[in-house]
Amino acid sequence: LAKTTQPISMDSYEGQEVNITCSHNNIATNDYITWYQQFPSQGPRFIIQGYKTKVTNEVASLFIPADRKSSTLSLPRVSLSDTAVYYCLVGDRVNNNDMRFGAGTRLTVKP
Amino acid sequence: EAQVTQNPRYLITVTGKKLTVTCSQNMNHEYMSWYRQDPGLGLRQIYYSMNVEVTDKGDVPEGYKVSRKEKRNFPLILESPSPNQTSLYFCASSLKPAAYEAFFGQGTRLTVV
């Protein structure tokens, strides 16, 4: 299971774009990269998933370079309500038997 | 509506009194799992189940039991709760583990006194 490394915390201001990078040097060929968001006392919520290049949905974008050893979650024009913990997970769709969360990145958006 | 339902949301109990936290999903997912979340320790997986009658230990299984008799239900059982099991518990389900979108329940805040 590829280990992931993220910054412990980040601060931003309303209206800014926020980029959170996740390092996964040991990512395997079949691994996908998935990001979750968690608000206090709530369960994590799926944000986005990708395999390579760029994925965009109504909430965020995910950038994955060609070597796939890292990925960047991009949140456009954050608001106070985006204050949460963001988790990066890496795993494949065939062999993974578990789903382990790392420490995540605590994003604080200030007015 | 696709959802994972946990009950109860809040529970205060005494040491040694057996309890069960229920988890049910309506998405016909094969994979279900339980996590506990404690301040400073993040989400730690307790048990997971790949399908009916198939369960396995996660990172912190001591003091817990699970069963998967039906696809939709995955109860968490504490046979003899202790204060160190005071925590926030989440149940999750997904089509498959890891690389598929997982849906989480609302959480159960358990206090053992």
Side-chain angles (χ1 to χ4, degrees), chain A residues 24-95:
Chain A
H24 28 80
N25 290 318
N26 296 324
I27 191 168
T29 303
N30 295 325
D31 283 346
Y32 283 74
I33 300 151
T34 311
W35 285 81
Y36 287 84
Q37 174 192 56
Q38 186 183 26
F39 298 114
S41 298
Q42 294 186 26
R45 182 176 72 111
F46 173 91
I47 302 175
I48 198 165
Q49 182 180 79
Y51 182 80
K52 62 180 180 180
T53 64
K54 176 183 174 183
V55 180
T56 297
N57 62 22
E58 63 278 4
V59 175
S61 294
L62 178 59
F63 297 93
I64 306 167
D67 66 5
R68 305 200 325 123
K69 292 184 184 298
S70 67
S71 58
T72 299
L73 175 73
S74 181
L75 305 171
R77 297 179 299 282
V78 294
S79 63
L80 297 177
S81 62
D82 292 314
T83 293
V85 178
Y86 293 82
Y87 298 95
C88 163
L89 277 74
V90 173
D92 74 59
R93 292 186 167 184
V94 175
N95 299 313

Side-chain angles (χ1 to χ4, degrees), chain B residues 1 10 56 91 94 108:
Chain B
E1 180 191 352
Y10 302 91
D56 210 342
C91 176
S94 62
T108 295

Side-chain angles (χ1 to χ4, degrees), chain B residues 81-92:
Chain B
S82 62
N84 65 12
Q85 292 178 298
T86 292
S87 186
L88 179 58
Y89 291 86
F90 291 104
C91 176

Side-chain angles (χ1 to χ4, degrees), chain A residues 1 30-32 34 36 38 41-46 49 87 89-94 96-103, chain B residues 9 31 33 35 37 42-43 45 48 50 57-59 88 90 92 94 96-106 109:
Chain A
L1 191 67
N30 295 325
D31 283 346
Y32 283 74
T34 311
Y36 287 84
Q38 186 183 26
S41 298
Q42 294 186 26
R45 182 176 72 111
F46 173 91
Q49 182 180 79
Y87 298 95
L89 277 74
V90 173
D92 74 59
R93 292 186 167 184
V94 175
N96 261 18
N97 291 331
D98 56 27
M99 196 171 76
R100 288 188 167 92
F101 286 77
Chain B
R9 294 289 311 278
Y31 184 85
S33 57
Y35 297 84
Q37 188 167 37
L43 281 156
Q45 193 177 50
Y48 61 91
M50 299 288 285
K57 297 177 181 179
D59 292 324
L88 179 58
F90 291 104
S94 62
K96 299 280 186 183
Y100 287 83
E101 177 179 356
F103 295 80
F104 283 78
Q106 323 93 299
R109 188 168 292 281

Side-chain angles (χ1 to χ4, degrees), chain B residues 14 34 39 43-44 46-47 54 59 63 72 75 83 101-102 104 110 112-113:
Chain B
V14 296
W34 277 102
L43 281 156
R44 294 182 292 169
I46 303 170
Y47 268 95
V54 181
D59 292 324
R72 63 182 292 126
E101 177 179 356
F104 283 78
L110 172 66
V112 184
V113 297

